[in-house]
Amino acid sequence: MALHLLKRGNCHYLSRDPIMSAESNSSCPVCRTAEVVCGKWTLLLIRDLAEGSARFCELERSLEGISPRTLSLRLRALEEEGIVERHTFPEVPPRVEYALTAKGKALVPLVEDMRSYGMRWLLGDAAEAGDRQPAAV
């Protein structure tokens, strides 16, 4: 039986059945992970929070170019996914810090792999020269 390359939304996968139901995306772990982490700024938030908890203003400074509204929406979406938790301290003025949950910390190796890939293939001498050989890491 032939394999067919299928595309559902932004997800590509191989299937033996050319007619797939819409349920396939929700059961595809790559698609589901991409839905969670591929929003603009999301992986950079995870990168920054991997170093420890941070306040809103610290994240805003770290992510040059992000608007406060976008940062707030991204943090809220990550909270809803159980990736980030918000800690509010009973102080005056109130202090709020964000940190990765265990589910969020499980994404750190993905960010580290992306960092390694970028250093090896995108930032090294080989990338600049258009060479296919990896640069020294």
Side-chain angles (χ1 to χ4, degrees):
M1 181 175 241
L3 286 175
H4 303 277
L5 180 63
L6 300 177
K7 180 179 183 207
R8 296 258 186 209
N10 291 330
C11 188
H12 293 84
Y13 51 92
L14 293 173
S15 172
R16 295 194 184 281
D17 181 5
I19 301 172
M20 298 288 293
S21 68
E23 286 180 20
S24 297
N25 271 353
S26 63
S27 64
C28 172
V30 174
C31 291
R32 185 65 185 106
T33 302
E35 287 173 4
V36 173
V37 301
C38 285
K40 188 172 182 183
W41 304 107
T42 300
L43 288 169
L44 298 178
L45 277 167
I46 293 167
R47 175 203 65 191
D48 288 355
L49 291 172
E51 297 174 11
S53 62
R55 296 176 73 171
F56 187 91
C57 61
E58 294 169 333
L59 292 168
E60 191 176 18
R61 266 183 262 134
S62 173
L63 301 170
E64 188 175 318
I66 192 169
S67 71
R69 174 175 162 64
T70 300
L71 178 55
S72 180
L73 290 172
R74 287 284 85 220
L75 287 168
R76 190 172 303 127
L78 291 172
E79 280 184 79
E80 290 173 6
E81 287 291 339
I83 292 170
V84 169
E85 58 189 356
R86 176 186 171 148
H87 299 283
T88 304
F89 296 88
E91 301 172 354
V92 177
R95 179 170 53 110
V96 177
E97 290 186 352
Y98 297 89
L100 292 177
T101 62
K103 186 176 178 181
K105 289 176 183 173
L107 291 168
V108 173
L110 177 66
V111 174
E112 293 300 325
D113 286 345
M114 291 176 72
R115 177 180 285 121
S116 295
Y117 177 88
M119 290 174 65
R120 183 174 184 175
W121 295 103
L122 304 176
L123 299 178
D125 293 335
E128 291 173 13
D131 192 354
R132 295 282 181 215
Q133 296 298 317
V137 180

